[in-house]
């Protein structure tokens, strides 16, 4: 509603009785301070009023404040102290303008003024807005395309033939106008839908129309998504059309709030190894952005090779790389894989203990919240960098770096690269009490669960049966077993161990034994209480074998829990007949691991005595074990060095030799499915039975 403002005049007589009073504003009446008389006032007996240049909005959707019936007229009361009289005048309500619409009060049949409704005014404003939109370029084409898009985007409700027809109509509209469509938030989605449902030729048509504009599209708030759609639904030709347009602009784009994300997505998920190398090289300085690679593109992003070829350029290259890294870290844009690759290249080419290395480590631990280190741990290069930092750092810095991962260990354990950080901490931190307190306390025990990524709750069984999470649980017990560690894990740990030889004081075997002692009690207790759950999977069977062979503590209860399964119900007994469970029982019966180098058994100390405990339970059914899927378990009993009933078992074999031979012969004539899991178990058992027959003769 337009405000009212009085013109001000200078005071003409300051000695007159009755000084000016402060104006009082009522609901519809405004009391004015005294003013000098004028010719205009003599005619109207009122102060002159002018319209204010400000408008108060009511907050409705239309943005205007419409007068009520009570506010249609404003009464102005003026006090003139010169004569002590009041005058009253009615001032017409000024016109209000909003969005190009002039609203005037209507006059009813009885001669009174009525206010225009807000709904009618809003309708007029909407009509004006539609007129303005229709006046914009390609308005009709965009409107038609959006109607088709509304139909196409409901994928489950559009038949295939109808969708093809709609796509054909859509491409008739957008062909030649893609650049005009793609930069708008609504019509840009139309192009994305066209890419999704169009054929390859149609997608290439869109890509060719946008050629030369991809860097600008990447910096657009809406059009950047178009690049992602092109690379997801396109082929190699489209990829090679898009990515080269980023060459020479990487340093600018990685600092851009919109382009940085699409650049990193392209680098991580779409670019070839050569294209990734070209993009990463630009981090090393302006020279690498100006002088672009030729058609053969044999350039490498390995900074060590570049510095070896041009040692005189080391200072500007390292300075340029560190400055760009530091800028992104200070801006908190720290989740980019490209940044992590660049940081690893920098750290691999600094001298350990030098000022550059110290400054870089300070950058890593400079964040109070530790977001940088947490993000690094979940990419390949980032995890490698964190492991190297742990290996090269002092004991004090290692403790500080590890502290940043508090309440994150369970998430690291399940990650493809994050678990490597835990393994490095095991191998380089001399303070095993700190390691146990920081890491083991966050692993679930028999009675607790941990949250994975803030979502589902995972108990210890979930760790044991997960391909990544089982590694930090079993690593200390298995060590360098190829059955546990991947090729990447093995290569990284080999590098860490070489560094550890010069930076850690404690012997590696002592460190490992101390950590095993801290972790063993909870794992042994878990086996004792969840034996039936563990033997259901091959990972669970491996866990039982490795822990019971290497753990430090009383294992009798856990061993008895495994043996009790032989007397359980039919389901539990069948679980022990799988190849994995049979292998577990044989390993425990042997009481150690087979040494490939010496071709002998490395027995555990103290001995498990599992062989005698098991035989005491299965003695009444020993013949069934000899002729069934678990025949190799009996082989393990005979091969164990400290088995006290060796002669008795051999005598049993001789006594039931005919039964054993029949079991072998039946398998030769069996017509059951050789690929079924049960048949595989039986075939393994028959091999064990044949081996028992040969062993009895010795």
């Amino acid at each position: 509603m337009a405000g009212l403002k009085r013109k001000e005049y200078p005071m003409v007589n300051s000695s007159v009785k009755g000084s000016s009073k402060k104006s009082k504003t009522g609901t519809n009446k405004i009391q004015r301070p005294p003013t000098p008389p004028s010719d205009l006032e003599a005619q109207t007996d009122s102060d002159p009023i002018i319209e204010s240049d400000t408008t108060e909005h009511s907050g409705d959707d239309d943005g205007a404040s419409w007068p009520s019936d009570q506010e249609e007229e404003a009464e102005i009361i003026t006090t003139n102290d010169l004569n002590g009289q009041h005058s009253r005048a009615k001032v017409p309500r000024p016109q209000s303008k909003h969005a190009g619409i002039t609203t005037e009060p209507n006059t009813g049949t009885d001669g009174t003024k009525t206010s225009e409704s807000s709904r009618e005014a809003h309708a007029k404003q909407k009509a004006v807005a539609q007129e303005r939109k229709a006046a914009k370029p390609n308005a009709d084409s965009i409107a038609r395309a959006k109607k088709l898009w509304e139909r196409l985007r409901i994928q489950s409700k559009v038949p295939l033939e109808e969708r093809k027809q709609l796509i054909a109509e859509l491409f008739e509209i957008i062909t030649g106008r893609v650049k005009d469509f793609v930069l708008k938030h609504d019509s840009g989605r139309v192009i994305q839908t066209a890419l999704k449902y169009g054929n390859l030729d149609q997608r290439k048509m869109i890509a060719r129309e946008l050629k030369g504009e991809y860097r600008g599209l990447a910096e657009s708030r809406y059009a950047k998504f178009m690049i992602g759609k092109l690379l997801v639904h396109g082929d190699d030709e489209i990829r090679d059309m898009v990515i080269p347009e980023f060459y020479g602009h990487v340093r600018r784009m990685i600092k851009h709030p919109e382009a940085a994300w699409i650049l990193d997505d392209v680098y991580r998920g779409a670019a070839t190894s050569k294209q990734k190398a070209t993009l990463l090289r630009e981090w090393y300085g302006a020279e690498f952005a100006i002088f672009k690679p030729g058609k053969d593109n044999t350039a490498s992003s390995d900074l060590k090779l570049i510095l070896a070829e041009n040692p005189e350029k080391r200072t500007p290259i390292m300075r340029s790389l560190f400055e760009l890294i530091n800028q992104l870290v200070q801006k908190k844009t720290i989740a980019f894989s490209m940044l992590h690759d660049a940081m690893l290249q920098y750290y691999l080419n600094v001298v350990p203990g030098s000022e550059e290395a110290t400054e870089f480590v300070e950058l890593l631990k400079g964040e109070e919240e530790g977001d940088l280190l947490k993000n690094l741990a979940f990419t390949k290069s980032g995890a490698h960098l964190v492991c190297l930092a742990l290996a090269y750092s002092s004991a004090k810095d290692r403790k500080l770096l590890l502290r940043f991962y508090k309440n994150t260990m369970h998430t690291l354990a399940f990650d493809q690269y994050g678990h490597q950080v835990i393994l490095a901490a095991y191998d380089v931190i001399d303070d095993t009490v700190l390691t146990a307190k920081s890491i083991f306390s966050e692993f679930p025990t028999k009675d607790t669960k941990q949250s994975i990524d803030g979502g589902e709750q995972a108990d210890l069984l979930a760790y044991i049966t997960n391909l990544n999470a089982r590694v930090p649980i079993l690593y200390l017990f298995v060590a360098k077993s190829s059955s546990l560690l991947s090729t990447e894990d093995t290569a990284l740990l080999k590098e860490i161990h070489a560094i550890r030889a010069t930076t850690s004081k404690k012997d590696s075997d002592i460190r490992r034994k101390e950590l095993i002692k801290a972790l063993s009690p909870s794992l042994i207790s878990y086996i004792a209480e969840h034996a039936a759950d563990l033997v259901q999977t091959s990972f669970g069977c491996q866990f039982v074998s490795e822990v019971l062979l290497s753990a430090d503590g009383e294992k009798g209860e856990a061993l008895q829990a495994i043996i009790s399964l032989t007397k359980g119900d039919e389901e539990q007994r069948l679980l022990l007949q799988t190849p994995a469970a049979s292998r577990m029982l044989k390993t425990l019966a042997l009481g150690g691991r087979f040494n490939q180098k010496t071709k002998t058994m490395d027995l555990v100390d103290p001995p498990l005595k599992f062989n005698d405990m098991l035989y005491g339970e299965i003695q009444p059914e020993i013949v069934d074990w000899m002729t069934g899927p678990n025949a190799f378990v009996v082989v393990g009993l005979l091969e164990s060095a400290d088995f006290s009933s060796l002669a008795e078992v051999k005598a049993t074999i001789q006594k039931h030799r005919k039964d054993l031979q029949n079991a072998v012969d039946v398998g030769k004539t069996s017509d059951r499915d050789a690929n079924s899991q049960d048949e595989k178990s039986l075939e393994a058992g028959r091999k064990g039975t044949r081996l028992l027959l040969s062993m009895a003769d010795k």
Side-chain angles (χ1 to χ4, degrees), residues 165-326:
Q165 182 180 355
L166 292 173
I167 285 292
E169 294 179 20
L170 182 59
F171 271 91
E172 289 178 3
I173 296 172
I174 66 175
T175 301
R177 303 188 182 96
V178 175
K179 290 183 182 179
D180 299 326
F181 274 63
V182 77
L183 290 173
K184 298 180 177 62
H185 74 95
D186 51 356
S187 57
R189 295 182 181 182
V190 174
I191 304 299
Q192 293 180 42
T193 302
L195 279 171
K196 181 178 180 180
Y197 294 116
N199 57 42
L200 185 59
D201 292 335
Q202 290 171 327
R203 292 167 182 163
K204 288 182 178 180
M205 181 275 293
I206 294 176
R208 283 191 287 268
E209 283 201 29
L210 295 175
K211 190 173 183 180
E213 305 291 335
Y214 289 113
R215 183 175 68 86
L217 296 179
E219 295 177 353
S220 170
R221 182 179 180 182
Y222 305 110
K224 65 180 180 182
F225 300 109
M226 177 63 57
I227 298 177
K229 288 285 186 181
L230 273 171
L231 295 174
V232 168
H233 298 291
D235 60 355
D236 293 349
E237 181 182 347
I238 294 177
R239 179 198 65 204
D240 295 338
M241 197 182 303
V242 174
I243 297 179
E245 293 196 16
F246 297 159
Y247 295 166
H249 308 285
V250 171
R251 294 178 69 89
R252 168 192 168 93
M253 293 178 68
I254 199 62
K255 293 183 285 187
H256 193 278
E258 305 294 343
W261 295 99
I262 195 65
L263 174 64
D264 190 67
D265 286 344
V266 168
Y267 175 84
R268 184 181 66 253
T272 64
S273 58
K274 291 182 179 180
Q275 290 170 337
K276 290 176 69 174
T278 303
L279 294 171
L280 188 59
R281 281 168 62 92
E282 294 191 26
W283 287 62
Y284 304 155
E287 172 187 346
F288 298 90
I290 296 172
F291 300 103
K292 301 176 183 178
K295 293 183 179 180
D296 54 350
N297 192 7
T298 58
S300 171
S301 62
D302 190 340
L303 186 56
K304 184 172 291 187
L305 295 178
I306 295 174
L307 295 179
E309 294 176 358
N310 305 278
E312 72 283 357
K313 297 181 180 179
R314 185 184 188 283
T315 299
I317 288 176
M318 296 294 283
R319 182 174 61 248
S320 176
L321 179 56
F322 182 80
E323 287 177 355
L324 184 52
I325 291 172
N326 187 45

Side-chain angles (χ1 to χ4, degrees), residues 15-81:
S15 63
V16 179
K17 294 181 180 181
S19 60
S20 62
K21 296 181 180 181
K22 205 173 204 179
S23 62
K24 296 181 181 180
T25 305
T27 305
N28 290 320
K29 298 181 180 181
I30 303 174
Q31 185 171 345
R32 297 295 184 184
T35 55
S38 65
D39 295 337
L40 180 60
E41 290 176 311
Q43 297 175 7
T44 63
D45 197 25
S46 173
D47 283 346
I49 306 300
I50 63 171
E51 182 179 0
S52 172
D53 57 353
T54 59
T55 303
E56 296 176 0
H57 297 287
S58 66
D60 294 336
D61 292 340
D62 54 12
S65 178
W66 305 103
S68 63
D69 294 338
Q70 290 79 13
E71 294 178 330
E72 190 61 32
E73 295 177 353
E75 293 183 338
I76 309 302
I77 299 176
T78 305
T79 302
N80 193 330
D81 288 338

Side-chain angles (χ1 to χ4, degrees), residues 354-563:
S354 65
E355 184 178 349
E356 287 179 330
T358 303
E359 185 180 15
F360 190 78
V361 173
E362 289 298 323
L363 179 67
L364 291 179
K365 63 183 185 180
E367 266 193 324
E368 294 182 0
E369 298 178 356
D371 290 339
L372 175 59
L373 283 166
K374 290 175 183 177
N375 277 276
L376 285 169
F378 296 99
T379 63
K380 182 178 180 179
S381 295
H384 190 177
L385 171 60
V386 175
C387 292
L388 291 177
L390 283 169
Y392 279 118
S393 296
S394 63
K396 182 179 179 181
D397 285 343
R398 288 170 181 168
K399 180 178 181 180
L400 185 58
L401 292 173
L402 191 61
R403 186 182 300 170
F404 285 120
Y405 292 105
K406 185 178 181 180
N407 299 326
T408 315
M409 292 300 172
H410 50 276
T411 310
L412 291 175
F414 280 86
D415 188 72
Q416 179 183 2
Y417 304 112
H419 74 272
Q420 296 175 347
V421 176
I422 300 177
L423 303 186
Y426 287 164
D427 283 346
V428 301
I429 297 178
D430 293 338
D431 188 351
T432 53
V433 175
L434 171 66
T435 305
K437 183 178 179 180
S438 302
I439 300 177
F440 298 160
S441 62
E442 295 192 25
F443 288 162
T445 61
K446 62 177 182 177
D447 300 320
T448 63
K449 294 184 178 182
Q450 292 290 348
S451 174
I452 305 175
D453 294 332
E456 62 176 311
Q457 297 290 316
D459 61 6
L460 189 56
L461 184 63
Y463 280 64
I464 294 167
T465 56
N466 183 271
L467 187 63
N468 296 318
R470 74 191 191 105
V471 177
I473 297 290
L474 282 179
Y475 173 69
L476 297 170
F477 302 94
V478 180
K480 300 179 181 179
S481 173
S482 59
S483 63
L484 180 68
L485 300 177
S486 65
T487 305
E488 291 180 352
D489 291 345
T490 303
L492 178 59
L493 291 173
K494 184 178 180 180
E495 183 180 3
I496 297 301
H497 292 165
I499 300 171
R500 180 184 65 183
T502 60
T503 59
S504 295
K505 299 178 181 179
K506 184 174 289 189
D507 181 76
S508 59
D509 290 335
I510 296 176
R511 182 191 298 104
R512 176 172 168 268
K513 290 178 180 178
E514 290 177 352
L515 292 174
I516 287 176
K517 185 176 182 179
L519 184 58
S520 293
S522 61
L523 301 186
I524 294 175
S525 298
Y526 189 83
I527 294 174
E529 297 188 12
H530 299 85
D533 297 327
L534 290 169
V535 298
Q536 295 181 24
T537 63
S538 59
F539 283 174
C541 291
Q542 183 187 10
F543 170 80
V544 172
S545 301
E546 301 298 348
V547 170
L548 292 181
L549 287 177
S550 303
D552 186 348
E554 177 55 43
K555 309 169 188 175
E557 187 178 352
L559 293 171
Q560 191 59 48
I562 299 296
I563 293 174

Side-chain angles (χ1 to χ4, degrees), residues 6-20:
R6 180 180 60 81
K7 287 184 179 179
E8 296 180 358
Y9 292 93
M11 299 296 292
V12 295
N13 189 355
S14 60
S15 63
V16 179
K17 294 181 180 181
S19 60
S20 62

Side-chain angles (χ1 to χ4, degrees), residues 559 563 588-589 591 604 606-614 642-644:
L559 293 171
I563 293 174
L588 294 176
V604 298
L608 291 179
K609 294 296 183 179
F610 180 79
N611 44 19
D612 292 331
M613 296 170 63
L614 177 63
D642 58 348
F643 182 45
S644 61

